[in-house]
Amino acid sequence: MKENWPKLIFVTLVLSFFTFTFYLYTSTNFIYTKEYNRPIAQRGELIWQKYNCQSCHQMYGLGGYLGPDLTNIISAKGRSEAYVLALVQTGNTQMPSYNLTEDEKKELIEFLKSTDASGVSDPRSFKINLSGMITKNGK
Ligand code: HEC
């Protein structure tokens, strides 16, 4: 009987692996439903790079620290696409103003929507799910 222990542990681990894998691939809890247009968002990332927003702002916590992290600016409380565009257009005492074309505005917003759809960057609202995915307040 004693010699069966290793086998039992092995079988338990294999079964656990398959059960958890099945759960992860079939559960709908971990699907992000926020939508964005990928090709436009990709062009928007080039706008983000062209105007060097990263020198003052962070994405996923990385970048310059003069301005706030903009990963989730689109869904942040009290913020909106119109708010972002207005601020980028006019600037303020610390933030420079940018004269973007209509296309550039659209692409930049789409890029910010894509980072927003990809997860959460603010550690204060992190919740790490059973699956290891990081979501906002467990949603
Ligand atoms: C010279 C540094 C600098 C650069 C470059 C810069 N910003 Fe900013 N930005 C700031 C600062 C500082 C603030 C905070 C202003 C405040 O709170 O009054 C800010 C605020 C913002 C906000 C509002 C954030 C919030 O939570 O209210 C947005 C949106 C924004 N910037 C977008 C951009 C974009 C897009 C670019 C690139 C086109 C950019 N910024 C480039 C310094 C910069």
Side-chain angles (χ1 to χ4, degrees):
M1 196 60 201
K2 233 179 181 180
E3 303 81 58
N4 280 339
W5 268 109
K7 266 187 206 157
L8 194 66
I9 292 173
F10 179 75
V11 170
T12 312
L13 286 176
V14 169
L15 280 179
S16 312
F17 171 78
F18 282 110
T19 312
F20 191 56
T21 304
F22 180 77
Y23 166 68
L24 281 187
Y25 280 89
T26 53
S27 171
T28 52
N29 291 343
F30 314 117
I31 297 172
Y32 285 110
T33 49
K34 290 176 188 166
E35 288 188 3
Y36 65 92
N37 182 310
R38 191 178 293 268
I40 298 181
Q42 282 168 345
R43 290 207 297 277
E45 185 168 10
L46 297 179
I47 306 296
W48 174 264
Q49 288 169 1
K50 179 177 164 190
Y51 292 106
N52 219 0
C53 311
Q54 192 79 17
S55 63
C56 297
H57 292 282
Q58 308 100 61
M59 270 294 158
Y60 307 106
L62 295 175
Y65 287 93
L66 193 60
D69 186 304
L70 297 183
T71 317
N72 301 110
I73 186 73
I74 294 293
S75 67
K77 209 169 168 221
R79 307 287 187 256
S80 63
E81 293 175 26
Y83 169 85
V84 172
L85 288 177
L87 192 69
V88 169
Q89 181 87 30
T90 59
N92 65 19
T93 46
Q94 293 173 296
M95 158 102 184
S97 64
Y98 295 87
N99 202 3
L100 303 186
T101 66
E102 286 307 310
D103 280 349
E104 284 179 326
K105 285 181 194 168
K106 203 173 155 217
E107 289 161 3
L108 182 66
I109 289 295
E110 214 59 33
F111 169 62
L112 293 174
K113 276 162 84 176
S114 76
T115 59
D116 188 43
S118 71
V120 182
S121 80
D122 186 349
R124 286 168 301 184
S125 48
F126 270 5
K127 168 113 175 37
I128 302 180
N129 279 332
L130 208 58
S131 66
M133 278 186 81
I134 297 171
T135 56
K136 199 168 201 164
N137 301 325
K139 276 184 214 134

